[in-house]
Amino acid sequence: MPLKNSTSIPFVFILTGISGLETVSVWLSLSFTLIYVVSLLGNCTVLYVTRTDPSLRKPMYQFLSMLATTDLGLSLSTMPTMMGICWFNAREIGFSACFAQCLFIHVFSFLESSVLLAMAFDRYVAICYPLRYSSILTSARIAKIGLAALCRCVLPAIPPLLVLRRLPFCQSHVLSHSYCLHQDVIKLACADIQFSYFYGLALALLILTLDPVLIFVSYMLIAKAIMSTSSPSERLRVLNNCLSHILAVLVLYIPMVGVSMVHRFGKHVSPLVHVLMANICLLVPPVLNPIIYSIKTTQIRRGVLRLLTPRQL
């Protein structure tokens, strides 16, 4: 008999850790804890530096603040259940909590892609229209871009989750990951899930496929502009200015492509590979992005050093 998601029946899902690695569970717990600590400290540091340093008021750093905020949200979305499993073996999660985690994970994942697209537009304007850069990317326009990106990611993610709340569940309540993902939860429903399947596919194509294509187009336009007008030294300088963003794009999309390939062609691959790839997708970008920008961006690096270096009395 299908189990309804009603308040009269305690409804829980069972989360799964990284099966097959129980012998090194302590080291895994320490590793995941370190990952979250680095992610939280790194992104909070970037936010603090960009907010407090008057020299970092340019559009580029405002977009970087958005990226750090998104990374922070993504880390905080997965951290409670991941740390609960690692340190307390707390594997149960209520339906409402699972629903909320689904929403936050998907919104922040989509928002990460949207912010990187906005940063690609920033690089395009800065390189192709340097004299009009400040007039095009005003603070008001940047705020509108951020609001549009937020609405673009939040509003489309709500309908499939509202459908999910109304579905009955009569199969196993054991999920495949250490956190709730919509595509993982929906497989356990004993109802027609065609709407959710095709809607999720369309949403992924709209955001996670369209965004990298537009980013690629922006860099093609940048390459065309610098190849026709710049000297070799100028081309190298422009490339260096774009390198942080290029690395952030690769850090996000390469794991996504890897997960898609594993799901599409890895039907006989160990479930451990699927779980590890999914964790890499969600955990690695928030850790590496602040490191990349702190190393490759001179102003951010100087701000971090000022923060870490005690003042001389």
Side-chain angles (χ1 to χ4, degrees):
M1 180 179 178
L3 180 60
K4 299 290 185 181
N5 323 322
S6 66
T7 55
S8 61
I9 300 176
F11 188 91
V12 296
F13 287 110
I14 307 300
L15 299 170
T16 303
I18 303 181
S19 302
L21 297 178
E22 288 79 8
T23 56
V24 292
S25 59
V26 174
W27 294 108
L28 278 178
S29 300
L30 290 173
S31 299
F32 282 124
T33 302
L34 179 61
I35 286 172
Y36 281 116
V37 169
V38 171
S39 174
L40 297 178
L41 287 179
N43 287 293
C44 286
T45 300
V46 170
L47 279 173
Y48 179 80
V49 169
T50 54
R51 296 293 182 182
T52 57
D53 192 332
S55 66
L56 301 181
R57 294 287 185 265
K58 296 179 182 178
M60 171 184 173
Y61 302 109
Q62 295 181 50
F63 285 121
L64 181 56
S65 294
M66 292 183 191
L67 183 64
T69 303
T70 302
D71 284 334
L72 202 56
L74 191 57
S75 291
L76 292 174
S77 297
T78 60
M79 185 171 66
T81 52
M82 184 75 83
M83 290 294 93
I85 291 174
C86 285
W87 292 110
F88 307 107
N89 199 32
R91 298 179 181 273
E92 291 188 355
I93 181 171
F95 183 82
S96 296
C98 189
F99 173 87
Q101 190 175 46
C102 277
L103 178 63
F104 286 125
I105 288 177
H106 288 285
V107 165
F108 282 116
S109 297
F110 293 154
L111 194 57
E112 178 113 358
S113 179
S114 297
V115 172
L116 288 176
L117 175 59
M119 295 176 80
F121 176 67
D122 167 76
R123 292 296 83 206
Y124 167 73
V125 174
I127 293 167
C128 297
Y129 302 98
L131 299 180
R132 298 174 55 197
Y133 179 63
S134 298
S135 61
I136 293 176
L137 289 175
T138 61
S139 296
R141 190 160 291 164
I142 292 171
K144 291 178 181 178
I145 291 174
L147 181 61
L150 187 62
C151 292
R152 176 185 185 237
C153 298
V154 173
L155 297 181
I158 292 177
L161 293 175
L162 292 179
V163 171
L164 180 67
R165 286 189 67 92
R166 301 177 62 86
L167 292 178
F169 292 85
C170 55
Q171 302 178 27
S172 168
H173 296 168
V174 179
L175 299 175
S176 304
H177 301 285
S178 304
Y179 36 78
C180 291
L181 296 176
H182 177 265
Q183 60 268 33
D184 197 17
V185 176
I186 202 72
K187 293 178 182 178
L188 304 182
C190 51
D192 185 4
I193 60 171
Q194 282 192 348
F195 168 79
S196 296
Y197 175 79
F198 287 110
Y199 188 95
L201 180 62
L203 191 59
L205 290 174
L206 179 64
I207 296 179
L208 300 181
T209 301
L210 180 61
D211 287 1
V213 170
L214 293 177
I215 291 172
F216 179 76
V217 170
S218 71
Y219 273 104
M220 289 298 97
L221 295 174
I222 290 172
K224 180 180 177 181
I226 64 175
M227 291 299 291
S228 60
T229 60
S230 302
S231 63
S233 60
E234 182 69 12
R235 293 172 192 166
L236 186 61
R237 185 187 67 81
V238 171
L239 178 62
N240 188 59
N241 288 338
C242 296
L243 189 57
S244 297
H245 179 255
I246 293 173
L247 291 175
V249 169
L250 294 178
V251 163
L252 176 66
Y253 290 115
I254 287 179
M256 282 188 178
V257 171
V259 168
S260 299
M261 295 295 288
V262 168
H263 278 288
R264 178 66 180 84
F265 302 107
K267 295 181 180 179
H268 302 292
V269 174
S270 168
L272 177 62
V273 176
H274 291 268
V275 173
L276 288 176
M277 290 296 294
N279 284 328
I280 288 172
C281 259
L282 293 180
L283 301 182
V284 169
V287 173
L288 291 186
N289 283 339
I291 296 174
I292 289 170
Y293 277 94
S294 297
I295 293 175
K296 296 302 300 179
T297 307
T298 303
Q299 292 86 342
I300 296 294
R301 186 169 65 249
R302 288 174 180 170
V304 172
L305 289 175
R306 282 197 298 270
L307 179 64
L308 297 178
T309 303
R311 295 183 178 179
Q312 300 294 329
L313 298 179

